[in-house]
Coordinates of all heavy atoms in Angstrom, one line a residue:
W73 N 141.1 104.3 50.3 CA 141.5 105.7 50.3 C 142.9 105.9 50.6 O 143.5 105.2 51.5 CB 140.6 106.5 51.3 CG 140.9 107.9 51.3 CD1 140.5 109.0 50.7 CD2 141.9 108.5 52.2 NE1 141.0 110.1 51.0 CE2 141.9 109.9 52.1 CE3 142.8 107.9 53.2 CZ2 142.7 110.7 52.7 CZ3 143.6 108.8 53.9 CH2 143.5 110.3 53.7
C74 N 143.6 106.7 49.9 CA 144.9 107.3 50.2 C 144.8 108.8 49.9 O 143.9 109.3 49.2 CB 145.9 106.7 49.3 SG 146.6 105.0 49.8
P75 N 145.6 109.6 50.5 CA 145.6 111.0 50.3 C 145.4 111.4 48.8 O 144.8 112.5 48.6 CB 146.8 111.6 50.9 CG 147.2 110.6 52.0 CD 146.8 109.3 51.4
H76 N 145.9 110.7 47.9 CA 146.1 111.1 46.5 C 144.9 110.5 45.7 O 144.7 110.9 44.5 CB 147.3 110.7 45.8 CG 147.6 109.2 45.7 ND1 147.8 108.3 46.8 CD2 147.4 108.4 44.6 CE1 147.9 107.0 46.3 NE2 147.7 107.1 45.0
R77 N 144.1 109.6 46.2 CA 143.0 108.9 45.4 C 142.0 108.3 46.3 O 142.3 107.8 47.4 CB 143.6 108.1 44.4 CG 144.4 106.9 44.9 CD 143.7 105.6 44.9 NE 144.5 104.6 45.3 CZ 144.4 104.0 46.5 NH1 143.5 104.6 47.5 NH2 145.1 102.9 46.9
L78 N 140.8 108.0 45.7 CA 139.7 107.3 46.3 C 139.3 106.3 45.3 O 139.0 106.6 44.2 CB 138.6 108.3 46.7 CG 137.3 107.6 47.3 CD1 137.6 107.1 48.7 CD2 136.2 108.7 47.3
V79 N 139.1 105.0 45.7 CA 138.7 104.0 44.9 C 137.4 103.4 45.2 O 137.2 103.1 46.4 CB 139.8 102.8 44.8 CG1 139.3 101.7 43.9 CG2 141.1 103.2 44.5
L80 N 136.4 103.3 44.3 CA 135.1 102.6 44.5 C 134.9 101.6 43.6 O 135.4 101.6 42.4 CB 134.1 103.8 44.5 CG 134.2 105.1 45.4 CD1 134.8 106.2 44.6 CD2 132.9 105.4 46.0
S81 N 134.0 100.7 43.9 CA 133.5 99.7 43.0 C 132.0 99.9 42.7 O 131.3 100.3 43.6 CB 133.7 98.3 43.5 OG 133.0 98.0 44.6
H82 N 131.6 99.7 41.5 CA 130.2 99.8 41.0 C 129.8 98.4 40.4 O 130.4 98.2 39.2 CB 130.0 101.0 40.1 CG 130.5 102.3 40.7 ND1 129.9 102.9 41.7 CD2 131.5 103.1 40.2 CE1 130.6 104.1 42.0 NE2 131.5 104.2 41.1
S83 N 128.9 97.7 41.0 CA 128.6 96.4 40.5 C 127.1 96.3 40.1 O 126.3 96.9 40.9 CB 128.9 95.3 41.5 OG 130.3 95.4 41.8
A84 N 126.8 95.6 39.1 CA 125.4 95.3 38.6 C 125.5 93.9 38.0 O 126.6 93.5 37.6 CB 124.9 96.4 37.8
P85 N 124.4 93.3 37.7 CA 124.4 92.0 37.0 C 125.1 92.1 35.6 O 124.7 92.9 34.8 CB 123.0 91.6 36.8 CG 122.2 92.2 38.0 CD 123.0 93.5 38.2
G86 N 126.3 91.5 35.6 CA 127.0 91.4 34.3 C 127.9 92.7 34.1 O 128.6 92.8 33.0
V87 N 127.9 93.6 35.0 CA 128.7 94.8 34.9 C 129.5 95.0 36.1 O 129.1 94.9 37.2 CB 127.8 96.1 34.8 CG1 128.6 97.4 34.6 CG2 126.8 95.9 33.5
E88 N 130.8 95.3 35.9 CA 131.7 95.7 36.9 C 132.6 96.9 36.5 O 133.3 96.8 35.4 CB 132.6 94.4 37.4 CG 133.5 94.6 38.5 CD 132.7 94.6 39.9 OE1 131.6 94.0 39.9 OE2 133.1 95.4 40.8
I89 N 132.6 97.9 37.3 CA 133.3 99.2 37.1 C 134.1 99.5 38.2 O 133.5 99.5 39.4 CB 132.3 100.2 36.6 CG1 131.6 99.9 35.3 CG2 133.1 101.6 36.4 CD1 130.6 100.9 34.9
R90 N 135.3 99.8 38.0 CA 136.1 100.4 39.1 C 136.3 102.0 38.9 O 136.7 102.4 37.7 CB 137.5 99.7 39.2 CG 138.4 100.4 40.4 CD 139.6 99.5 40.6 NE 140.4 99.2 39.4 CZ 140.9 98.0 39.1 NH1 140.7 96.9 39.8 NH2 141.6 97.9 38.0
E91 N 136.1 102.7 39.8 CA 136.2 104.2 39.7 C 137.3 104.7 40.6 O 137.3 104.3 41.9 CB 134.8 105.0 40.1 CG 135.0 106.5 40.0 CD 133.8 107.1 40.7 OE1 132.9 106.5 41.1 OE2 133.8 108.4 40.5
T92 N 138.2 105.5 40.1 CA 139.3 106.1 41.0 C 139.1 107.6 40.8 O 139.3 108.2 39.7 CB 140.7 105.7 40.6 OG1 140.7 104.2 40.5 CG2 141.8 106.2 41.4
R93 N 138.8 108.2 41.9 CA 138.8 109.7 41.9 C 140.0 110.4 42.5 O 140.7 109.7 43.4 CB 137.6 110.1 42.9 CG 136.2 109.7 42.5 CD 135.2 110.1 43.5 NE 134.0 109.4 43.3 CZ 132.9 109.3 44.1 NH1 133.0 110.0 45.3 NH2 131.9 108.6 43.9
C94 N 140.4 111.5 42.0 CA 141.5 112.3 42.5 C 141.2 113.8 42.2 O 140.3 114.0 41.4 CB 142.8 111.9 41.9 SG 143.1 112.1 40.1
V95 N 141.9 114.6 43.0 CA 141.9 116.1 42.7 C 143.3 116.5 42.3 O 144.2 116.2 43.2 CB 141.3 116.8 43.8 CG1 141.4 118.4 43.6 CG2 139.9 116.4 44.1
T96 N 143.5 117.0 41.2 CA 144.8 117.2 40.7 C 145.4 118.6 41.2 O 144.8 119.4 41.7 CB 144.9 117.3 39.3 OG1 144.3 118.4 38.7 CG2 144.4 116.1 38.5
E97 N 146.8 118.6 41.1 CA 147.5 119.9 41.5 C 147.2 121.1 40.6 O 147.2 122.2 41.1 CB 149.0 119.6 41.4 CG 149.8 120.6 42.1 CD 151.3 120.2 42.2 OE1 151.9 119.8 41.2 OE2 152.0 120.4 43.3
S98 N 146.6 120.8 39.4 CA 146.1 121.8 38.5 C 144.7 122.1 38.7 O 143.9 122.7 37.8 CB 146.4 121.4 37.1 OG 145.9 120.2 36.7
N99 N 144.1 121.7 39.8 CA 142.7 122.1 40.2 C 141.7 121.5 39.3 O 140.7 122.2 38.9 CB 142.6 123.6 40.2 CG 143.3 124.2 41.3 OD1 143.6 123.7 42.5 ND2 143.9 125.4 41.3
A100 N 141.7 120.2 39.0 CA 140.8 119.4 38.3 C 140.3 118.3 39.3 O 140.9 117.6 40.0 CB 141.2 118.8 37.1
W101 N 138.9 118.0 39.2 CA 138.3 116.9 39.9 C 138.1 115.8 38.8 O 137.6 116.1 37.7 CB 136.9 117.3 40.4 CG 137.0 118.4 41.5 CD1 137.0 118.1 42.7 CD2 136.9 119.8 41.3 NE1 137.1 119.4 43.5 CE2 137.0 120.4 42.6 CE3 136.8 120.6 40.2 CZ2 136.9 121.8 42.7 CZ3 136.8 122.0 40.3 CH2 136.9 122.6 41.7
V102 N 138.7 114.7 39.0 CA 138.8 113.6 38.1 C 138.2 112.3 38.6 O 138.5 111.9 39.7 CB 140.3 113.4 37.8 CG1 140.5 112.3 36.7 CG2 141.0 114.7 37.5
S103 N 137.4 111.7 37.7 CA 136.8 110.3 37.9 C 137.4 109.4 36.8 O 137.0 109.7 35.6 CB 135.4 110.3 38.0 OG 134.9 110.6 39.3
C104 N 138.2 108.4 37.1 CA 138.6 107.4 36.1 C 137.9 106.2 36.2 O 137.8 105.5 37.3 CB 140.1 107.1 36.3 SG 141.2 108.5 36.3
F105 N 137.2 105.8 35.1 CA 136.3 104.6 35.2 C 137.0 103.5 34.3 O 137.3 103.7 33.1 CB 135.0 104.9 34.6 CG 134.1 105.9 35.4 CD1 134.3 107.3 35.1 CD2 133.4 105.5 36.5 CE1 133.5 108.1 35.9 CE2 132.7 106.5 37.2 CZ 132.7 107.8 36.9
E106 N 137.2 102.3 34.9 CA 137.7 101.2 34.2 C 136.5 100.2 34.1 O 136.0 99.7 35.1 CB 138.8 100.5 35.0 CG 140.1 101.4 35.1 CD 141.2 100.7 36.0 OE1 141.8 99.8 35.5 OE2 141.2 101.1 37.1
V107 N 136.1 99.9 32.9 CA 135.0 98.9 32.6 C 135.6 97.5 32.7 O 136.2 97.0 31.7 CB 134.2 99.2 31.4 CG1 133.2 98.1 31.2 CG2 133.6 100.6 31.3
L108 N 135.5 96.9 33.9 CA 136.2 95.5 34.0 C 135.3 94.4 33.4 O 135.9 93.4 32.9 CB 136.4 95.3 35.5 CG 137.1 96.4 36.3 CD1 137.3 95.9 37.7 CD2 138.6 96.5 35.7
A109 N 134.0 94.6 33.4 CA 133.2 93.6 32.8 C 131.9 94.3 32.4 O 131.3 95.1 33.0 CB 132.8 92.4 33.8

Side-chain angles (χ1 to χ4, degrees):
W73 175 91
C74 280
H76 69 286
R77 57 100 179 104
L78 175 69
V79 180
L80 303 98
S81 69
H82 306 293
S83 302
V87 178
E88 187 70 32
I89 296 173
R90 179 167 58 223
E91 177 188 5
T92 304
R93 296 178 198 164
C94 65
V95 177
T96 68
E97 197 172 44
S98 59
N99 291 330
W101 296 269
V102 184
S103 279
C104 302
F105 296 93
E106 297 173 78
V107 179
L108 305 177

